[in-house]
């Protein structure tokens, strides 16, 4: 089943994100290589593709996991959580309808 993971950025998270970005992306690439990643990306804090110093409000990941528990464990182990860039995560079941 797919799960939607939302990570919420702390205030002034850019430096913490930068320090953990390589490891964060490596985990996402691993999901992609396994055919389990539907989409992933940051949520700009302002209405701009490059928010500059405004940074990000969080991130969205939609990926396939065997269970909610596995999705939560994966989210809790994200490098952005471990680096303190995210204050926490929410995990929800996700039903892909379109396309």
């Amino acid at each position: 089943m797919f799960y939607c993971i939302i990570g919420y950025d702390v205030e002034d998270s850019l430096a913490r994100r930068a320090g953990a970005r390589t490891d964060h992306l490596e985990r996402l690439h691993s999901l992609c290589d396994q055919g389990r990643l539907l989409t992933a990306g940051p949520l700009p804090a302002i209405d701009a593709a490059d928010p500059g110093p405004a940074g990000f409000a969080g991130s969205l990941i939609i990926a396939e996991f065997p269970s909610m528990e596995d999705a939560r464990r994966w989210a809790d182990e994200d490098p952005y959580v471990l680096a303190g860039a995210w204050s926490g995560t929410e995990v929800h079941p996700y039903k892909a309808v379109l396309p």
Side-chain angles (χ1 to χ4, degrees):
M1 177 164 197
F2 283 104
Y3 293 89
C4 171
I5 298 170
I6 305 168
Y8 295 98
D9 275 42
V10 298
E11 195 170 326
D12 299 320
S13 63
L14 288 178
R16 292 178 182 163
R17 271 181 169 263
R21 189 169 191 269
T22 298
D23 292 338
H24 171 77
L25 291 177
E26 185 176 297
R27 293 177 87 230
L28 292 172
H29 283 293
S30 178
L31 287 177
C32 190
D33 292 345
Q34 296 170 39
R36 297 172 45 204
L37 184 65
L38 186 63
T39 191
L43 305 170
I46 60 172
D47 188 12
D50 180 359
F56 300 96
S59 298
L60 171 70
I61 301 163
I62 301 176
E64 189 175 22
F65 292 93
S67 68
M68 173 77 85
E69 181 180 302
D70 290 318
R72 283 190 175 136
R73 183 174 27 258
W74 189 93
D76 289 344
E77 295 170 358
D78 192 279
Y80 282 175
V81 171
L82 301 178
W86 286 350
S87 62
T89 61
E90 284 187 32
V91 179
H92 302 276
Y94 178 81
K95 182 178 177 181
V97 176
L98 293 172

